[in-house]
Amino acid sequence: MRELRQERVIDRENEEENESSFVASEKLERLMGEDFTAYAIRFVNLLEYRQILAERRFPNGLAFVPEISAEYSVKVGGTPYKTLSFKDYVSSGKKDGWYEIIDKQTDWPQSALALILRQHILEVVIQARKDVKAQVMPKGEYRRKVLEKVRDVLKEEVEKEQLFRYDLSTTKDIEHWMDYFDFRQEPFFHALNPNAAFNSRQYTPEELDRLALIRRWFDDPMSVDLRSFIRALEWFVGEPTANREEQYQLALVIDARAIDRDAEKKGANMGVMRGWGAITEENGRYPEKYLLGVIVIIPDKEILQQVVGLASHGGPFAHPIFDQAGSTRYPRPE
């Protein structure tokens, strides 16, 4: 009897996976059509995405609609703007950087700080690997050398940040000083200098634990996993009230038919001028129909795996998943 129940569970799981794959494949075919431009983009984090799946509805709010942006450009006599097909849009993040796209297409560029932080550290790691590669050494020693090189680069950035915060007389050129006042270095300085005069915020016990982890990594980068170090840093990017949950990690791809193009008249900030439309209350009830896909814009394998797992078991709610570089990660080509 138990074996029969197990077989039924397996059958239901197979049916769900098959249905999910079929639904996601249909949406993928539509999205990747050469001339498909009827889409909108809404940037969210993983928590918001989970809520959409659980509640089976979109939150009210704005989304960027390339077709609206194109229409507005022509209306005001600007250079005719060719709406990017989704196929080109999904690959644009690799070329332009998703943080640049967020800056242009949202009114909350601060939510790209974690993305910029990760990209910056990734670039430092890649350069460190190149610098150390020329040396012949055991695998374990190679890893240590690379991480120590990364640590030294980041530490130098912190020291530059500290120098120019506390001694403005070191330069007569305020623009030169502002070059170092860069939010890519902000989380390092913020984390390593909890008693700094500029920062009066009180740390929670959880944040103190993260600060301790960050300090341990700087003391010995082999003692703390690099991903854990980065995630700890993400809690300190942006404004003092910002944390990892407020940072964009995903881009929802929404059918443009779910968008009210008259958003500006409904009080939306900047509205049509920015190429925005509103997700309506009515259409927000049908995300299984209008959610066409998700782009995981942050380079995080664990988040990518979670999103693929959720989408691939969505049944009628399933949708394709793309990674940061624009590659399709679900459904896989047969």
Side-chain angles (χ1 to χ4, degrees):
M1 194 67 177
R2 180 181 297 175
E3 290 179 357
L4 182 59
R5 284 198 298 269
Q6 288 176 338
E7 287 177 3
R8 286 175 179 170
V9 169
I10 292 172
D11 287 342
R12 282 198 298 271
E13 289 178 348
N14 288 337
E15 287 178 11
E16 184 182 70
E17 288 181 7
N18 290 336
E19 181 185 15
S20 299
S21 180
F22 177 77
V23 171
S25 295
E26 282 197 324
K27 290 181 178 179
L28 178 62
E29 184 178 358
R30 184 181 175 204
L31 283 174
M32 301 309 282
E34 293 295 334
D35 301 318
F36 182 71
T37 59
Y39 64 93
I41 300 294
R42 168 74 178 252
F43 292 97
V44 299
N45 56 51
L46 182 59
L47 179 61
E48 290 172 308
Y49 174 65
R50 286 183 176 278
Q51 288 174 339
I52 290 169
L53 297 185
E55 297 172 5
R56 290 296 196 261
R57 64 177 295 110
F58 290 123
N60 294 335
L62 299 177
F64 175 76
V65 187
E67 287 183 339
I68 293 178
S69 189
E71 291 165 7
Y72 180 77
S73 175
V74 175
K75 278 182 183 177
V76 297
T79 303
Y81 169 74
K82 182 181 182 299
T83 306
L84 281 181
S85 68
F86 176 76
K87 189 174 183 179
D88 289 333
Y89 182 87
V90 74
S91 62
S92 64
K94 183 177 182 180
K95 180 180 67 174
D96 302 330
W98 285 108
Y99 42 88
E100 294 287 350
I101 293 172
I102 287 168
D103 185 47
K104 293 174 184 176
Q105 297 178 3
T106 78
D107 65 344
W108 202 249
Q110 303 95 316
S111 288
L113 294 180
L115 182 60
I116 293 172
L117 170 66
R118 281 178 178 255
Q119 187 63 39
H120 179 57
I121 294 178
L122 179 61
E123 290 168 359
V124 173
V125 170
I126 290 172
Q127 186 58 51
R129 285 174 176 168
K130 290 179 181 177
D131 294 341
V132 177
K133 196 171 184 179
Q135 306 175 39
V136 179
M137 63 187 73
K139 186 176 180 180
E141 183 64 17
Y142 169 78
R143 182 168 177 271
R144 173 177 286 280
K145 290 285 186 184
V146 168
L147 288 174
E148 287 177 347
K149 182 77 174 177
V150 172
R151 187 266 314 275
D152 293 344
V153 171
L154 298 185
K155 212 165 191 177
E156 184 180 354
E157 291 181 345
V158 174
E159 289 168 356
K160 285 181 179 178
E161 179 79 359
Q162 188 169 13
L163 171 65
F164 284 95
R165 278 183 187 269
Y166 285 98
D167 189 2
L168 303 188
S169 64
T170 56
T171 177
K172 296 179 181 179
D173 185 353
I174 189 64
E175 291 184 2
H176 179 60
W177 173 73
M178 288 300 290
D179 285 343
Y180 285 102
F181 194 69
D182 188 310
F183 48 76
R184 289 186 305 181
Q185 283 80 56
E186 178 78 15
F188 307 123
F189 184 82
H190 187 84
L192 293 176
N193 296 270
N195 298 316
F198 80 96
N199 178 19
S200 60
R201 67 174 293 201
Q202 296 296 313
Y203 291 96
T204 65
E206 189 178 21
E207 287 175 327
L208 290 173
D209 288 342
R210 288 188 172 89
L211 290 172
L213 183 148
I214 291 167
R215 293 191 190 98
R216 286 202 305 275
W217 186 89
F218 272 99
D219 289 339
D220 179 8
M222 289 286 283
S223 67
V224 175
D225 180 69
L226 182 61
R227 287 174 296 186
S228 299
F229 166 70
I230 294 172
R231 286 176 180 144
L233 281 176
E234 285 178 342
W235 283 85
F236 301 97
V237 298
E239 297 299 321
T241 57
N243 59 44
R244 190 164 172 252
E245 268 69 32
E246 293 174 319
Q247 294 292 307
Y248 292 140
Q249 298 164 326
L250 314 173
L252 305 182
V253 187
I254 303 170
D255 191 318
R257 290 177 297 180
I259 306 299
D260 180 356
R261 295 178 176 233
D262 210 15
E264 188 176 36
K265 293 181 181 178
K266 296 182 182 298
N269 182 29
M270 298 296 285
V272 176
M273 288 181 66
R274 292 290 298 269
W276 296 338
I279 300 174
T280 65
E281 178 75 24
E282 181 180 355
N283 289 337
R285 299 172 187 167
Y286 305 103
E288 69 277 5
K289 178 180 179 181
Y290 294 120
L291 181 57
L292 302 181
V294 171
I295 308 168
V296 180
I297 62 173
I298 197 162
D300 188 309
K301 290 181 180 179
E302 289 184 15
I303 290 178
L304 179 61
Q305 289 171 354
Q306 287 183 53
V307 174
V308 168
L310 291 167
S312 62
H313 290 84
F317 197 74
H319 41 270
I321 305 298
F322 306 88
D323 64 18
Q324 187 195 32
S327 300
T328 304
R329 303 304 293 266
Y330 174 79
R332 288 290 194 180
E334 294 182 2

